[in-house]
Amino acid sequence: MKKYFLVRAMAMAEAQARNRNQLFPFNRFLCSSSNSSDLTLKNVTKSNFEPALAELRSHVREADFVSFDLEMTGVTSAPWRESFEFDQADIRYLKVKDSAEKFAVVQFGVCPFRWDSKNRSFIAHPHNFYVFPRQEIPGDGPSYEFSCQTTSLDFLAKYQFDFNACIYEGISYLSRRQEEEALRRLNSVYNDESSESLSSSKAVADMQLVRMADILFAERMTNKIGEWRAGLLRDTNEGSEFQGSSNDTVQKLQTIFFKMRPALVLNVLTSRQLRLIELVIKKHFEDLVYVHATGEISCPQPLVVYTDSTTDRDLLMREIKHCRKNEAVTKIKAAVGFRHVIDLLSTERKLIVGHNCFLDIAHIYNKFVGPLPLTVEEYVSEVQKHFPYIVDTKVMLNSDSSFLHLVKKGSTSLSKAFTFLCPQIASPSVSSIVLADNPRIKVEVQVDDKRFSNWNSGAKHEAGYDAFMTGCVFAQACTHLGIDFNLHAPPVDLVHNEKLQKYINHLYLSWINGDVIDLKTGKCAADSLGSTNLKNRYPKILFSNIVILWDLPSNLKAREIKECMSKVFGTDSVTSVFHLDETAAFVQFSKQEFVSSFLELKDTLEQKYDPISVLHPLSKILEGGCTRAATYEIYKEICSSPISEVLFSNQAEAVGIEWRTRQLEPAVEVEKREDRASSFSQDQDRKETSPITIAAGAPSSCHFPTDELVDSFYPVQAQLSK
């Protein structure tokens, strides 16, 4: 069983480790191949993000398309969260949603491609961004949390992922929703808060002078500040200083001007002493204002400011309030971080190219736009608003027999596709004779002011290089579709090219099942683009014919479940049995009526629990009376929960599914409904709807279709006692 653990991503990670190499001693050294220059990827961290972003803006605006790739800390939060053939499209989306919400993006690759008609080649600009969800806004809720899958971390480490660069130098971000919420809270605070409340904290208001040291200090400061104020009123020199004795806490009181007003600088004081001074000002001096604004504004230190009237005092507090608000807004805008890249891609409305990228798009939406919608229909509608043109190169390769021939009917993974379709880039030493059979697109790579042809950094599974490979595969695929870039003047309008229309906005919702979703309509259909390389392991799936079982006896095999069912409902009654994990399984019947028959029979056997029930063929499945069963809709309800227990049975319990059988309704509920009916027509009630009760040990012969979650009235303990 895969192991999962939770990582708390703390903003103070940098201060907790003295030596970067103590955390992960290995770093990634990107080496170019022997046939290329020492040109490497453009790695972007928070230290060089601003200039890199400015450069990327220029490249994206000039690009004909932009490819991307992500590296994440995991894919599935539990084994049963993996995509199965028995999953409907809406459930597959719920599983993708769960993955995007629980795992973090640690690396983001962006590679704009621009057609150079003069050199008849594409110019690529690969960027490799290290991303880390650091909390940049102080006091803005708890620190971020995300899950890690050990296999994913092992995979990253295998390819020498630089964890140090990610944690220490990774670029933080705020989603659009987070930015909006932060600004809303800020406006609420500054719109509701009075000038008076900005100048005095609750701690100061509640402060009492009980310690002798506090009383003496407050008395001395009252005298000192009074002398300073009196001196101002006598028109003393604006640079005068008041020297205290050697035993004085305040060694220097200096007068400056703050916002065109005389102010007393408070130096070398503790936070408690400053609160005492604020209390003194508030109590004894109506024309003085205590100001202690931190940050890079016009008042970086504590001051006592003189105002010549109440109007002037209110004006000063409004100015300070405005400065503080602007400072807070600046911090929020600065915390947007990497989302500027996503906003750039969304604003420019370029063709976005990924490889098997439905999960990647979900991560982008969840991390940089807002919470993922509850349904797949809402999700595709929202995605289209931000990214109206997306191409999945895996869909392209599997939807045309000519592409499958090019990859020699092998794997359509990114690295294999890149090797077969772009051998002149993947292996620059390949002979030109070998390449003569098929026209090959030329791609030049530019990083900063360096440019190189047939570049290979040798850094597979690094987001920036994977984005580069994705773009190369797409460019080569366009050539095989008959798109001649030489006939198009830059910029090349790929978005409206007729030969690409059947690929744009068609993504694999599930590669395992071959289900392709149309982002324009939200419709999902298997093999909708002619994919022929996927073979279903099971007969045609009818979801209304499926029962889900969990809390099964240990080591119960699918073959044994089918045999038990067949003894009761007939040899051909069960078409397939599929285990989600060791605790749960799907059973698909050949007829829909077998679903209700099984659930009713299960409930009857568990209620009676007599010698005949023990000898029943289903007793092997229902052993101990703990097995739970429900229709397929309950599976969807369980999948929609944000909880992710490793075992499905534990998940169902955590979600709150406590009944044993979905099908029957308690007698109490039946009686309540019939009582309501009797009040409508008493005569009809006597004839047709007399109250029904289920006696102890007696099976119910009636089935009431209902959406209520029903528990058996007969706990296991009661059955055993009988």
Side-chain angles (χ1 to χ4, degrees):
M1 183 184 296
K2 297 179 181 178
K3 296 180 180 179
Y4 305 87
F5 56 90
L6 185 67
V7 173
R8 182 175 295 272
M10 301 297 294
M12 299 300 294
E14 303 173 45
Q16 293 176 350
R18 295 182 180 179
N19 190 333
R20 291 180 54 175
N21 293 329
Q22 289 178 353
L23 183 60
F24 293 101
F26 47 84
N27 288 311
R28 164 171 278 175
F29 297 95
L30 304 180
C31 301
S32 56
S33 65
S34 58
N35 295 324
S36 63
S37 71
D38 58 355
L39 184 65
T40 60
L41 282 174
K42 186 175 183 66
N43 287 307
V44 184
T45 62
K46 63 181 182 180
S47 60
N48 65 334
F49 176 64
E50 291 299 331
L53 177 62
E55 178 184 288
L56 184 65
R57 290 186 192 277
S58 174
H59 295 322
V60 169
R61 286 165 183 164
E62 297 175 353
D64 298 304
F65 67 91
V66 180
S67 56
F68 75 100
D69 185 78
L70 277 65
E71 296 294 337
M72 292 90 75
T73 60
V75 179
T76 53
S77 59
W80 62 269
R81 288 278 192 186
E82 295 178 1
S83 182
F84 302 132
E85 289 188 47
F86 282 85
D87 290 341
Q88 286 180 320
D90 53 354
I91 291 179
R92 293 193 184 106
Y93 167 71
L94 290 175
K95 292 185 174 182
V96 170
K97 177 177 179 287
D98 175 79
S99 178
E101 290 173 341
K102 286 188 170 57
F103 296 103
V105 174
V106 292
Q107 207 174 60
F108 200 113
V110 180
C111 189
F113 280 75
R114 175 177 63 86
W115 178 250
D116 185 351
S117 57
K118 182 178 179 181
N119 296 322
R120 296 190 175 186
S121 68
F122 272 106
I123 300 176
H125 302 273
H127 290 69
N128 192 53
F129 294 89
Y130 283 95
V131 182
F132 190 74
R134 190 179 298 101
Q135 190 176 32
E136 298 287 0
I137 304 177
D140 189 30
S143 299
Y144 292 107
E145 291 184 354
F146 59 85
S147 297
C148 288
Q149 199 170 356
T150 53
T151 51
S152 295
L153 293 186
D154 184 61
F155 177 85
L156 292 173
K158 177 182 177 181
Y159 289 96
Q160 301 177 2
F161 180 83
D162 193 342
F163 291 91
N164 289 312
C166 176
I167 295 175
Y168 289 98
E169 296 294 328
I171 308 161
S172 58
Y173 55 84
L174 286 181
S175 70
R176 293 184 182 180
R177 176 68 64 83
Q178 288 172 325
E179 182 189 10
E180 291 170 358
E181 285 296 315
L183 292 174
R184 183 191 61 77
R185 289 194 299 268
L186 179 67
N187 289 329
S188 176
V189 168
Y190 281 92
N191 288 340
D192 296 341
E193 202 166 24
S194 66
S195 300
E196 184 67 23
S197 62
L198 280 171
S199 64
S200 57
S201 64
K202 186 178 185 299
V204 172
D206 297 338
M207 195 172 184
Q208 295 181 358
L209 299 179
V210 292
R211 295 166 49 185
M212 182 58 66
D214 291 345
I215 295 173
L216 294 176
F217 177 82
E219 186 65 28
R220 285 199 301 271
M221 293 311 303
T222 301
N223 296 333
K224 289 290 184 183
I225 293 172
E227 293 174 8
W228 174 78
R229 175 179 172 278
L232 288 177
L233 297 178
R234 291 193 304 268
D235 297 325
T236 59
N237 296 327
E238 67 179 42
S240 62
E241 297 182 359
F242 294 85
Q243 301 293 336
S245 66
S246 59
N247 295 325
D248 239 339
T249 304
V250 181
Q251 299 176 359
K252 181 185 293 187
L253 298 178
Q254 180 183 9
T255 300
I256 63 171
F257 278 92
F258 173 70
K259 295 186 178 298
M260 304 300 293
R261 299 172 180 87
L264 180 65
V265 180
L266 304 176
N267 292 322
V268 198
L269 294 171
T270 66
S271 59
R272 182 174 183 82
Q273 289 171 338
L274 291 174
R275 289 198 299 271
L276 290 171
I277 291 175
E278 185 175 358
L279 185 64
V280 166
I281 297 296
K282 185 179 178 73
K283 185 176 181 180
H284 297 288
F285 303 100
E286 294 183 357
D287 54 357
L288 299 183
V289 179
Y290 173 81
V291 177
H292 188 191
T294 59
E296 298 179 358
I297 63 172
S298 56
C299 182
Q301 53 189 327
L303 301 174
V304 175
V305 184
Y306 173 79
T307 57
D308 56 15
S309 66
T310 303
T311 302
D312 185 42
R313 180 179 181 277
D314 293 341
L315 177 61
L316 173 63
M317 297 311 300
R318 285 196 296 270
E319 292 175 356
I320 295 173
K321 183 178 179 180
H322 181 71
C323 288
R324 289 180 177 177
K325 183 177 180 181
N326 287 344
E327 179 192 0
V329 170
T330 301
K331 288 182 178 179
I332 293 173
K333 295 296 183 182
V336 167
F338 182 77
R339 205 201 74 217
H340 286 299
V341 175
I342 305 304
D343 290 344
L344 172 65
L345 298 178
S346 176
T347 303
E348 292 298 324
R349 318 288 280 186
K350 296 290 183 178
L351 181 66
I352 306 298
V353 181
H355 187 83
N356 200 15
C357 58
F358 188 85
L359 176 59
D360 293 354
I361 296 295
H363 269 287
I364 291 174
Y365 190 96
N366 178 256
K367 304 296 186 296
F368 309 112
V369 179
L372 287 164
L374 297 177
T375 66
V376 66
E377 293 81 10
E378 293 177 280
Y379 169 71
V380 296
S381 175
E382 287 297 316
V383 168
Q384 283 288 279
K385 295 177 183 178
H386 302 283
F387 306 102
Y389 312 109
I390 304 174
V391 168
D392 188 338
T393 52
K394 198 172 186 74
V395 171
M396 293 183 69
L397 298 180
N398 286 287
S399 62
D400 194 307
S401 59
S402 62
F403 286 126
L404 295 178
H405 174 73
L406 289 173
V407 297
K408 300 180 181 179
K409 297 183 179 181
S411 170
T412 54
S413 67
L414 179 58
S415 59
K416 293 291 182 64
F418 180 65
T419 300
F420 282 115
L421 293 179
C422 310
Q424 77 283 7
I425 305 173
S427 302
S429 60
V430 174
S431 171
S432 59
I433 298 177
V434 177
L435 302 176
D437 295 338
N438 297 301
R440 303 293 179 179
I441 203 74
K442 183 180 178 183
V443 179
E444 296 182 349
V445 173
Q446 182 173 335
V447 177
D448 297 326
D449 57 347
K450 298 179 181 179
R451 184 182 293 192
F452 194 80
S453 300
N454 299 333
W455 170 74
N456 185 346
S457 77
K460 291 181 180 179
H461 301 297
E462 186 170 51
Y465 188 71
D466 284 359
F468 168 73
M469 290 196 297
T470 300
C472 291
V473 168
F474 173 72
Q476 191 64 51
C478 288
T479 302
H480 287 292
L481 289 175
I483 299 175
D484 188 350
F485 294 103
N486 293 316
L487 300 179
H488 300 274
V492 181
D493 187 11
L494 295 173
V495 167
H496 299 100
N497 190 291
E498 293 183 2
K499 296 178 179 179
L500 286 177
Q501 291 310 302
K502 72 174 184 177
Y503 304 109
I504 294 178
N505 291 325
H506 289 86
L507 277 62
Y508 271 122
L509 178 57
S510 172
W511 158 245
I512 294 176
N513 303 281
D515 285 349
V516 176
I517 187 168
D518 186 344
L519 297 182
K520 294 180 181 178
T521 63
K523 295 181 179 179
C524 183
D527 302 329
S528 61
L529 296 180
S531 178
T532 58
N533 67 323
L534 296 174
K535 295 181 180 179
N536 292 329
R537 295 161 50 196
Y538 300 93
K540 183 179 180 181
I541 297 174
L542 300 173
F543 298 104
S544 58
N545 293 11
I546 291 177
V547 166
I548 183 170
L549 306 174
W550 69 94
D551 280 337
L552 290 165
S554 59
N555 302 321
L556 189 65
K557 296 181 174 59
R559 173 181 51 81
E560 296 174 307
I561 295 176
K562 186 172 183 178
E563 289 175 356
C564 293
M565 295 289 191
S566 298
K567 290 178 182 178
V568 178
F569 300 102
T571 306
D572 300 326
S573 59
V574 177
T575 59
S576 55
V577 178
F578 176 79
H579 271 280
L580 283 78
D581 62 12
E582 62 190 69
T583 67
F586 287 124
V587 177
Q588 177 170 310
F589 291 101
S590 58
K591 297 180 181 180
Q592 184 175 352
E593 53 263 32
F594 287 152
V595 173
S596 57
S597 297
F598 166 74
L599 294 175
E600 290 176 359
L601 179 58
K602 172 185 178 296
D603 191 78
T604 299
L605 292 173
E606 290 180 336
Q607 289 181 18
K608 293 177 66 175
Y609 205 73
D610 55 14
I612 296 178
S613 301
V614 173
L615 297 175
H616 196 278
L618 291 182
S619 61
K620 189 173 184 178
I621 300 175
L622 308 179
E623 180 182 348
C626 296
T627 301
R628 301 174 186 268
T631 56
Y632 191 85
E633 283 300 310
I634 298 303
Y635 174 58
K636 178 179 178 181
E637 179 183 335
I638 294 172
C639 289
S640 65
S641 171
I643 303 170
S644 274
E645 298 289 343
V646 175
L647 296 178
F648 184 85
S649 59
N650 294 339
Q651 172 75 12
E653 181 181 357
V655 171
I657 309 299
E658 299 178 351
W659 36 262
R660 289 201 300 275
T661 306
R662 166 64 188 247
Q663 198 71 12
L664 294 179
E665 196 173 3
V668 174
E669 293 300 320
V670 176
E671 291 174 344
K672 286 181 179 179
R673 181 187 304 154
E674 291 179 341
D675 287 340
R676 291 194 296 268
S678 65
S679 64
F680 175 78
S681 177
Q682 187 173 10
D683 292 337
Q684 189 68 18
D685 176 71
R686 292 195 187 98
K687 296 177 182 180
E688 299 178 6
T689 59
S690 58
I692 299 174
T693 59
I694 301 177
S700 170
S701 60
C702 300
H703 164 54
F704 299 94
T706 176
D707 287 333
E708 298 175 4
L709 305 183
V710 181
D711 194 357
S712 172
F713 271 141
Y714 300 93
V716 176
Q717 294 85 349
Q719 295 173 13
L720 292 175
S721 66
K722 291 194 295 181

